[in-house]
Amino acid sequence: MAGHTAVEAPSADRSAHEGILRRQSARESAARTYARALPIVPVRARGLTIEGADGRRYLDCLSGAGTLALGHNHPVVLEAIRKVLDSGAPLHVLDLATPVKDAFITELFRTLPPGLADHARVQFCGPAGTDAVEAAFKLVRAATGRNGILAFAGAYHGMTSGALEASGHAFDVRVARLPYPQDYRCPFGVGGPHGAELAARWTESVLDDPKSGVPLPAAMILEPVQGEGGVLPAPDAWMRRMRRITADRSIPLIADEVQTGVGRTGAFWAVEHSGITPDVMVLSKAIGGSLPLAVVVYRDDLDVWEPGAHAGTFRGNQLAMAAGTATMAYVRENGLTEHAATLGARMLDQLRGLSREFSVIGDVRGRGLMIGLEMVEEEGEGEEWSVAGVAGPGGSNGPDETGRSGGSDDDRGAAGSAGLLGSVGLSRDDGAGAVAMPGSLPSPRPASPELAVAVQRECLRRGLIVELGGRHASVVRLLPPLTITDEQATAVLDRLADAVAAVARGHGRDAGKQEQRRRRSEGTA
């Protein structure tokens, strides 16, 4: 599919493009990230498409790290911004009441889970998601009189100090870390409802064991889908279990919906899949309609703050509020959550087909239009084994609607692991001192950040922008706008498949599969 490779730019455009990149490298911080992996200079954008200073066009499946629910420069967003500009309204108002803010809060409350919307307060804070997380921590500590926070391995909650402490890559850990359920790399080696049950029991043990070293915390914070952690959807029954565990112990539950909110996962808020009502929600990214905005929404009985207890100079961004109101209303009125659910499921299904062609794709998972492919080392690099009678990834106990493998969601509860926990025994030494529990899954192959980088690079050559994430930066992530069409989704998947095929070329048994794919595309197979 060489036709997907970006066309060479005219020399004048290329020179301007290279000059801007050169000056950026010389003048900007070494902390820059996206600019390193994506050496492009965007000058125009609309919907899914970005045009660079070099004249090349790209399909953008990064979407401002999930910020652009409607894609770039959507007409309703631009109209909302122009309306504020043309009205002469103040652009900066601190926390004063304005018609623009009133409209934003009204639309926000219209979308919230009913159990929260009926008894909610909202706090505008600094303009980034991490500011909302910090505000939420300050709130629950004030309300409970307690200090500790429960968080989960693999989490990402921001880059300020408190948010970093609750994130999975923290080094100076002062937050209790709990296991987050997943199938492909289950921390207990079993996946599915069994793994989720073990994770839940671990959480209960930490809280109820007087010698666990974890005092009763001020809150638990979780992501309904871990994004930066590798696109890991939480099982719905596990989410309900976390809600029961926290409610029974009077621990406020904070849902971090910064990346999952505003329709991204196929529900307006990702907690809606499980039907839970958190005590606190932290929101940013898409709620600003592409402009900086962050808020904390919380149960009114937690509102113990004194005036001025939390503030922020840029909490009164009128343009962001107007853009956010327009975005939320458009998503709600045009069925974009349902579109994300339907199209996302179709894309996941097609990508699982691709994973059967190329063994360098270890796992495909996601929910709605939040999709990830984990790249792994080639087969044969380490011993794999399975246990008789247990279906591993891709077996009869296949993926459910969340994009995870395992049984039905109704099975993801206490009953799911009764047999496993009632008869735990150890068997089969693999020669490296490891032993297997009955019901354990085959050991997944090592993650390959090198292959993920190669796929991202090949995607860019073909005019497709994707993000990387996951524990080892080995997950290729797709976050297209909710407005992506079926035809555009096909183009995205074609370019991604072509990039994976190019990377897999020469990698053992995948080389033959790539040749078969090429011949089929040319009609010569």
Side-chain angles (χ1 to χ4, degrees):
M1 302 182 186
H4 292 317
T5 303
V7 177
E8 190 66 26
S11 58
D13 290 342
R14 190 166 61 252
S15 177
H17 158 90
E18 291 172 353
I20 292 171
L21 290 179
R22 187 169 54 252
R23 289 188 291 276
Q24 179 188 44
S25 178
R27 299 188 293 204
E28 286 192 27
S29 163
R32 65 189 186 283
T33 53
Y34 297 108
R36 295 180 185 276
L38 304 170
I40 63 176
V41 181
V43 293
R44 279 174 292 277
R46 186 66 173 258
L48 184 67
T49 303
I50 285 179
E51 183 178 336
D54 58 358
R56 293 181 176 179
R57 294 192 176 192
Y58 303 87
L59 300 181
D60 181 14
C61 282
L62 174 57
S63 299
T67 297
L68 304 173
L70 305 184
H72 294 276
N73 292 325
H74 194 280
V76 301
V77 173
L78 296 182
E79 181 183 359
I81 293 172
R82 289 192 188 102
K83 185 175 179 180
V84 174
L85 291 173
D86 293 342
S87 71
L91 301 184
H92 187 285
V93 293
L94 296 172
D95 66 354
L96 300 179
T98 71
V100 173
K101 178 192 275 190
D102 184 63
F104 173 85
I105 296 174
T106 299
E107 182 61 39
L108 174 62
F109 274 46
R110 185 179 285 131
T111 70
L112 290 174
L116 182 58
D118 295 343
H119 307 281
R121 293 288 185 272
V122 59
Q123 169 71 26
F124 290 81
C125 43
T130 190
D131 300 312
V133 171
E134 296 286 351
F137 288 172
K138 182 189 283 188
L139 172 74
V140 295
R141 284 166 171 153
T144 65
R146 304 190 291 263
N147 192 54
I149 300 291
L150 294 177
F152 291 87
Y156 178 76
H157 298 294
M159 295 299 290
T160 50
S161 60
L164 277 173
E165 287 179 4
S167 297
H169 56 285
F171 295 104
D172 181 19
V173 177
R174 286 176 286 176
V175 173
R177 193 84 57 217
L178 301 168
Y180 190 92
Q182 56 174 305
D183 288 344
Y184 190 61
R185 300 191 185 277
C186 174
F188 305 103
V190 294
H194 296 326
E197 171 66 14
L198 289 170
R201 291 197 179 198
W202 180 276
T203 300
E204 289 178 321
S205 175
V206 165
L207 288 170
D208 296 342
D209 181 354
K211 297 296 185 181
S212 70
V214 179
L216 193 67
M220 172 189 286
I221 185 169
L222 58 77
E223 299 161 276
V225 180
Q226 284 195 347
E228 303 304 318
V231 191
L232 298 171
D236 292 337
W238 178 83
M239 289 283 291
R240 291 190 285 270
R241 186 75 170 273
M242 292 302 103
R243 175 66 285 188
R244 288 197 300 273
I245 288 171
T246 52
D248 289 348
R249 294 159 179 80
S250 299
I251 301 170
L253 178 63
I254 304 171
D256 184 337
E257 291 261 13
V258 168
Q259 191 166 108
T260 54
V262 194
R264 168 63 55 191
T265 68
F268 206 96
W269 306 107
V271 293
E272 295 179 68
H273 293 292
S274 60
I276 71 165
T277 301
D279 302 298
V280 183
M281 291 173 65
V282 292
L283 314 175
S284 187
K285 290 192 186 292
I287 64 159
S290 76
L291 299 178
L293 187 65
V295 299
V296 185
V297 181
Y298 53 92
R299 225 178 51 231
D300 55 8
D301 62 306
L302 296 173
D303 196 23
V304 300
W305 275 337
E306 296 293 330
H310 194 77
T313 301
F314 290 102
R315 55 191 157 147
N317 190 333
Q318 293 268 88
L319 293 182
M321 292 177 193
T325 302
T327 297
M328 289 188 291
Y330 191 89
V331 170
R332 179 177 56 82
E333 294 168 359
N334 290 274
L336 292 191
T337 56
E338 294 82 1
H339 176 68
T342 301
L343 184 55
R346 191 179 311 148
M347 293 175 73
L348 279 168
D349 186 61
Q350 294 179 43
L351 289 170
R352 290 192 184 107
L354 186 68
S355 72
R356 289 189 286 271
E357 286 192 59
F358 299 106
S359 61
V360 292
I361 302 176
D363 194 33
V364 175
R365 53 187 180 255
R367 196 159 206 174
L369 290 174
M370 195 170 179
I371 297 171
L373 294 79
E374 182 166 345
M375 308 304 295
V376 296
E377 297 293 344
E378 182 54 64
E379 289 177 338
E381 306 237 348
E383 182 183 12
E384 289 196 18
W385 49 271
S386 60
V387 178
V390 177
S396 60
N397 197 16
D400 66 7
E401 74 282 358
T402 70
R404 303 169 56 261
S405 59
S408 68
D409 182 65
D410 291 339
D411 295 331
R412 298 181 189 279
S417 64
L420 173 67
L421 296 175
S423 59
V424 171
L426 301 177
S427 63
R428 193 191 187 287
D429 191 318
D430 69 357
V435 290
M437 287 198 311
S440 59
L441 295 174
S443 299
R445 297 195 305 281
S448 179
E450 296 82 9
L451 287 179
V453 167
V455 169
Q456 184 185 48
R457 183 171 55 246
E458 291 295 330
C459 283
L460 194 65
R461 289 187 62 241
R462 289 156 176 78
L464 175 63
I465 297 172
V466 296
E467 186 180 11
L468 300 184
R471 265 61 163 186
H472 305 282
S474 61
V475 178
V476 177
R477 301 183 59 201
L478 299 177
L479 292 165
L482 309 188
T483 52
I484 185 174
T485 65
D486 290 351
E487 293 76 17
Q488 289 174 328
T490 297
V492 166
L493 295 182
D494 282 348
R495 297 183 192 196
L496 177 57
D498 200 34
V500 170
V503 170
R505 188 180 296 120
H507 281 74
R509 68 188 68 183
D510 278 343
K513 294 178 181 179
Q514 193 275 339
E515 175 61 19
Q516 292 174 12
R517 180 181 179 85
R518 184 191 65 77
R519 292 178 63 192
R520 282 199 304 271
S521 69
E522 295 175 355
T524 59

